[in-house]
Amino acid sequence: MEEKAKINSFINFLKEKGFIYSGSEIYGGLSNTWDYGPLGSLLKKNLKDLWINSFIFQQKNNFLLDSSIMLNNKVWEASGHVEKFNDPLIDCKKCKSRFRADHLVEENTQIKTGNLSIKEMETIIKDKISCPKCQSNNWTDVREFKLMFETSNSKTKSDLIYLRPETAQGVFINFNNYKNGKFGKLPFGIGQIGKAFRNEITPGNFIFRTKEFEQMELEYYFHDLGNGNDYFEEYVSVVEKFLKKVGIADKNFRLFEVPKDELAHYSKRTIDFEYNFPFGWGELLGIANRGNFDLTNHSQHSQEKLNYRLEDGEVIIPSVIETSIGVERLLFSILWEAWTNKTENYFPIPQEIVPYKMVFLPLTKNEIELTNKIIEEIITPSKVFSNILVFEKGNIGKRYKHADEFGIPFSITIDQETKSLDGEVTIRFAKTKEQIKIKIKELEDFFFKN
Ligand code: GAP
């Protein structure tokens, strides 16, 4: 299948099965917005829970935060976003298409734009590059376009406020709360999951780049004794383990060490994890050594000392290793892995995050009562089971097919021989289509082990 057709059939499948719908559909849509349905929203939730487990609970001294989306404007001045978080834009005067100037230069010449000024990019485009849409050479000047979404904080619209473009700043400005509240003995980490907003010029590629998205970010604070790379490597391996858990094949991701002259203004070192998306390799997540850029700047702008007293009395400003993962990008890669590994209808979402782990199938309506009894008396009281579905109607083959397409690893059939809570049910494995009989009383043990 041609790549574009393949992506479209992937998106259609996700819509049809209840993973992802396009946004505001009944009003004709709103481009590049997406809604997550019964399976997609659960998958997202499970993914975020797994992140909390992997990056907070399973790491010593890491804690969770839930900070506001709207922050005092001074936060964004201190962080450098007001001054530096812009995209350089240029328009074709003839066909009115709009482009990122840096993308145009890099895609059409061998020149890297990391160190170029706006004027330099403009000169290169006007001298050397035609409009990719209409081939004319009639460009506007390059202008800087603010990526932060603006809204107002009052009814008079006079009070400008930004929606956060990253969750990280909420973490930095809460440094003292954690330190003073006994949750901040170095080294320690603060992580949070939440919405971020960017007024992207070129959103698209399904859920890869949107204006509203979620981030899972961890800021790990440490005393930099020249050991920044050790913590950096530690988190590279935490991320690699996490990717394995969510089913990303080794061959489908790679690490890209961002060259010094292309680093973001706050970064001393960045590694991007790239994924082999259906449209090509693209950034999945990033790990950065932000040094003490953020705490230093917030200390200066807020007049509040964001520092740390070591046991010997020395006062330092801790450094930070950041891991920043876009929820939707990771979701895209997880769904794409499952899609490309789909066999005999089974959409193999890794069991740790699958929306529904089991579905109950009463074979005929005579078994519905017993099924409800099993759920009420065996399943619900036990902590082993979670996210249960019941498919009551339809031909059993079709019900298996639905279960497989939803990625449900286990189907449990109750038939006329089951009779009572002392009876047996059939468990069917979606992956192998193998079926086994098992006593209802042994279900808890089975799911504990699986
Ligand atoms: N705090 C650092 C930071 O925000 P970033 O590279 O700008 O760094 C981190 O973003 C991650 O957030 C990206 O690797 C990507 O997964 C996700 N992300 C960024 N912009 C996005 C967008 N417009 N749509 C979806 N995800 C995005």
Side-chain angles (χ1 to χ4, degrees):
M1 212 187 300
E2 202 199 302
E3 211 56 69
K4 203 162 169 82
K6 207 168 157 192
I7 297 172
N8 284 340
S9 95
F10 168 64
I11 295 174
N12 287 339
F13 172 86
L14 294 178
K15 179 178 178 185
E16 203 181 291
K17 302 302 161 205
F19 284 92
I20 303 178
Y21 310 123
S22 36
S24 305
E25 229 174 2
I26 63 164
Y27 287 102
L30 176 67
S31 57
N32 301 301
T33 62
W34 302 93
D35 295 341
Y36 294 79
L39 299 181
S41 54
L42 256 184
L43 180 58
K44 231 181 178 188
K45 178 196 169 293
N46 293 348
L47 179 60
K48 290 189 270 184
D49 286 348
L50 187 66
W51 181 88
I52 292 176
N53 251 312
S54 308
F55 286 81
I56 306 288
F57 297 154
Q58 285 169 20
Q59 306 301 323
K60 208 171 142 209
N61 248 359
N62 285 1
F63 306 100
L64 206 55
L65 168 75
D66 184 356
S67 78
S68 301
I69 286 176
M70 292 185 282
L71 306 176
N72 189 308
N73 279 358
K74 287 185 187 147
V75 171
W76 307 113
E77 284 162 23
S79 68
H81 282 84
V82 169
E83 190 195 342
K84 301 209 166 90
F85 201 52
N86 305 314
D87 273 349
L89 283 191
I90 192 161
D91 292 344
C92 169
K93 284 188 190 162
K94 184 162 176 229
C95 72
K96 311 284 179 230
S97 299
R98 175 166 284 181
F99 302 93
R100 283 260 307 257
D102 51 340
H103 288 180
L104 265 187
V105 172
E106 294 198 1
E107 281 159 17
N108 292 284
T109 69
Q110 303 295 322
I111 305 167
K112 289 274 171 213
T113 54
N115 278 334
L116 294 188
S117 69
I118 296 292
K119 267 284 158 233
E120 284 166 329
M121 279 190 261
E122 188 179 298
T123 308
I124 294 169
I125 294 171
K126 287 182 173 170
D127 283 356
K128 299 196 165 103
I129 303 172
S130 310
C131 170
K133 290 259 168 69
C134 72
Q135 317 310 325
S136 77
N137 199 319
N138 190 3
W139 296 107
T140 61
D141 291 346
V142 174
R143 286 148 303 132
E144 297 243 56
F145 187 84
K146 256 197 179 39
L147 276 173
M148 279 198 292
F149 259 105
E150 295 175 358
T151 184
S152 66
N153 200 16
S154 71
K155 289 192 178 118
T156 58
K157 291 200 181 282
S158 58
D159 225 352
L160 172 73
I161 198 158
Y162 299 109
L163 302 182
R164 67 180 175 198
E166 62 171 11
T167 62
Q169 297 304 324
V171 172
F172 299 130
I173 61 174
N174 274 287
F175 178 79
N176 277 352
N177 288 332
Y178 279 63
K179 187 185 71 177
N180 300 337
K182 308 270 179 281
F183 290 96
K185 191 167 179 325
L186 285 182
F188 72 98
I190 306 178
Q192 74 167 328
I193 299 178
K195 291 266 186 189
F197 302 84
R198 295 184 189 179
N199 211 349
E200 300 277 5
I201 319 305
T202 51
N205 280 331
F206 188 35
I207 55 173
F208 179 81
R209 193 186 308 283
T210 47
K211 297 188 179 196
E212 171 187 345
F213 56 98
E214 276 188 279
Q215 288 184 318
M216 306 186 280
E217 297 202 295
L218 178 80
E219 310 300 327
Y220 191 74
Y221 297 105
F222 63 100
H223 178 202
D224 195 347
L225 296 161
N227 52 354
N229 272 339
D230 297 345
Y231 289 116
F232 200 106
E233 296 306 329
E234 209 176 285
Y235 274 96
V236 167
S237 90
V238 172
V239 166
E240 283 175 342
K241 277 193 206 126
F242 182 62
L243 293 183
K244 207 177 255 320
K245 275 192 216 158
V246 297
I248 308 300
D250 288 349
K251 69 176 168 49
N252 286 335
F253 76 86
R254 66 185 187 193
L255 275 57
F256 173 70
E257 177 94 41
V258 177
K260 285 258 173 295
D261 60 355
E262 289 176 31
L263 289 171
H265 62 276
Y266 53 75
S267 177
K268 290 171 125 179
R269 181 187 178 196
T270 297
I271 283 188
D272 286 341
F273 278 62
E274 296 181 332
Y275 179 74
N276 190 9
F277 287 99
F279 50 83
W281 289 92
E283 180 187 326
L284 176 61
L285 63 99
I287 302 183
N289 181 346
R290 296 180 75 123
N292 57 20
F293 175 90
D294 301 276
L295 292 186
T296 303
N297 280 293
H298 286 305
S299 294
Q300 281 164 6
H301 282 74
S302 68
Q303 313 294 322
E304 194 69 34
K305 289 194 179 89
L306 302 177
N307 58 21
Y308 187 91
R309 186 178 294 278
L310 299 172
E311 271 168 25
D312 65 5
E314 189 191 347
V315 175
I316 59 151
I317 300 187
S319 289
V320 159
I321 300 292
E322 171 184 79
T323 61
S324 178
I325 308 179
V327 175
E328 290 80 2
R329 281 198 195 172
L330 186 53
L331 207 64
F332 189 163
S333 58
I334 291 165
L335 290 165
W336 184 252
E337 289 278 328
W339 171 255
T340 46
N341 289 307
K342 201 161 160 270
T343 45
E344 292 179 80
N345 298 319
Y346 178 46
F347 190 52
I349 297 170
Q351 218 166 289
E352 286 216 56
I353 50 170
V354 71
Y356 289 97
K357 194 165 170 189
M358 65 197 85
V359 56
F360 285 83
L361 313 174
L363 194 60
T364 70
K365 59 178 190 292
N366 299 333
E367 285 82 41
I368 291 178
E369 200 180 316
L370 179 57
T371 303
N372 289 338
K373 204 165 166 197
I374 295 172
I375 291 173
E376 268 162 40
E377 295 186 25
I378 310 273
I379 307 298
T380 314
S382 162
K383 289 204 169 68
V384 171
F385 306 97
S386 61
N387 303 348
I388 293 151
L389 268 183
V390 182
F391 291 165
E392 285 184 358
K393 290 193 190 124
N395 157 305
I396 192 76
K398 281 205 179 129
R399 284 192 268 172
Y400 282 151
K401 181 168 178 278
H402 288 313
D404 289 350
E405 288 171 336
F406 292 172
I408 302 173
F410 305 106
S411 298
I412 302 163
T413 307
I414 297 93
D415 60 26
Q416 60 274 31
E417 284 173 23
T418 308
K419 291 197 177 83
S420 72
L421 291 182
D422 293 322
E424 287 186 331
V425 291
T426 305
I427 297 187
R428 174 182 175 275
F429 298 75
K431 193 170 172 186
T432 57
K433 317 293 183 230
E434 182 200 354
Q435 302 197 5
I436 58 166
K437 285 251 180 201
I438 181 169
K439 282 197 162 37
I440 292 171
K441 300 253 156 75
E442 287 166 11
L443 273 176
E444 185 166 359
D445 194 41
F446 174 86
F447 280 104
F448 183 70
K449 290 180 185 145
N450 286 280

